[in-house]
Amino acid sequence: MAEIVLASTKEAAGEVVASHIAGLVAGNPETVLGVATGSTPLPVYEALGARARDGLDFSRVSAYALDEYVGLPVEHPESYRSVITKEFVEAVGADPSRVHVPDGSLERIETAGERYEALLAASGGVDLQILGIGTTGHIGFNEPGSSFGSLTRVKTLTEQTRIDNARFFDSLDEVPIHCVTQGLGTILRAKHLVLLAFGEGKAEALAASVEGPVSSSMPGSAIQLHPHVTVVVDDAAASRLKHLDYYRWAADHKPAWQGL
Ligand code: F6R
């Protein structure tokens, strides 16, 4: 079962996750992080930025993004390459040559998935994967129906996801229809999954992923197959969890020696 961490605010959630990542990086300067885009991980990157300003060295950390839009120029401010550069690389002072994002350019799109899988294989494995969850239940951009064995490949975004992400663009028409995303099988290979969710809008997908049946109709439920998952949520995102009392009880009785 995933460990459920109830955070009072997004900032508090960011602190919990950043403090754990800081410990990993301090212990192994070559830590391999899996990074997500969108709004959810921003408090983590902000808190990591503060650690970097306090002297934590991220220059040998590698990072692998979950996904990228297809056909959006990398220089576009909403390409995930641009977002990861601005929100993560610049915040923590990572070495851009160690930060990887799937190649969404149309010219070589047929091989984008296998090229990214080869890069991930050469990394030696992701130590900690940060995840958000979409209102459709996607993790990465694995929309409902994605195979639990899927690897990095081109996927078609659902209309709901395009609507959700239209807030980052001037209009819905500008939101790409396709993406390259790590598969559920790729994500499940990471050593530790840390899924964050904030707000009422995520409550249903979160409860279904944590407590519902394991089903490709709810891609987030793939986390139930992983041996080490931490779910960090605010009260609103946690509001539909059936076993909330138990999660609070477990948190109150968490052994001091147990980390995240
Ligand atoms: C982003 C990603 C997505 C987002 C999800 C939630 O790289 O893979 O799964 O995590 O769409 O997006 P936000 O955080 O913007 O609500």
Side-chain angles (χ1 to χ4, degrees), residues 35-41 65-67 80 131-135 138-142 161 164-165 167-168 181 196 198 202:
V35 287
T37 47
S39 313
T40 306
L66 283 168
D67 35 28
Y80 282 175
L131 295 170
I133 186 163
T135 58
H138 67 226
I139 53 174
F141 273 141
N142 294 282
T161 295
D164 290 345
N165 284 10
R167 69 189 193 280
F168 296 113
T181 180
L196 297 107
F198 307 122
K202 300 294 177 72

Side-chain angles (χ1 to χ4, degrees), residues 6-64:
L6 297 158
S8 49
T9 60
K10 290 181 194 181
E11 291 69 29
E15 275 302 322
V16 169
V17 178
S19 141
H20 179 72
I21 292 175
L24 290 183
V25 173
N28 173 15
E30 300 200 345
T31 294
V32 181
L33 291 177
V35 287
T37 47
S39 313
T40 306
L42 297 180
V44 178
Y45 302 149
E46 275 158 32
L48 286 177
R51 302 283 192 303
R53 289 192 292 282
D54 286 345
L56 185 62
D57 179 14
F58 284 80
S59 64
R60 287 159 64 202
V61 166
S62 309
Y64 291 80

Side-chain angles (χ1 to χ4, degrees), residues 193-210:
L193 304 181
V194 177
L195 179 105
L196 297 107
F198 307 122
E200 172 66 31
K202 300 294 177 72
E204 199 177 321
L206 184 89
S209 296
V210 172

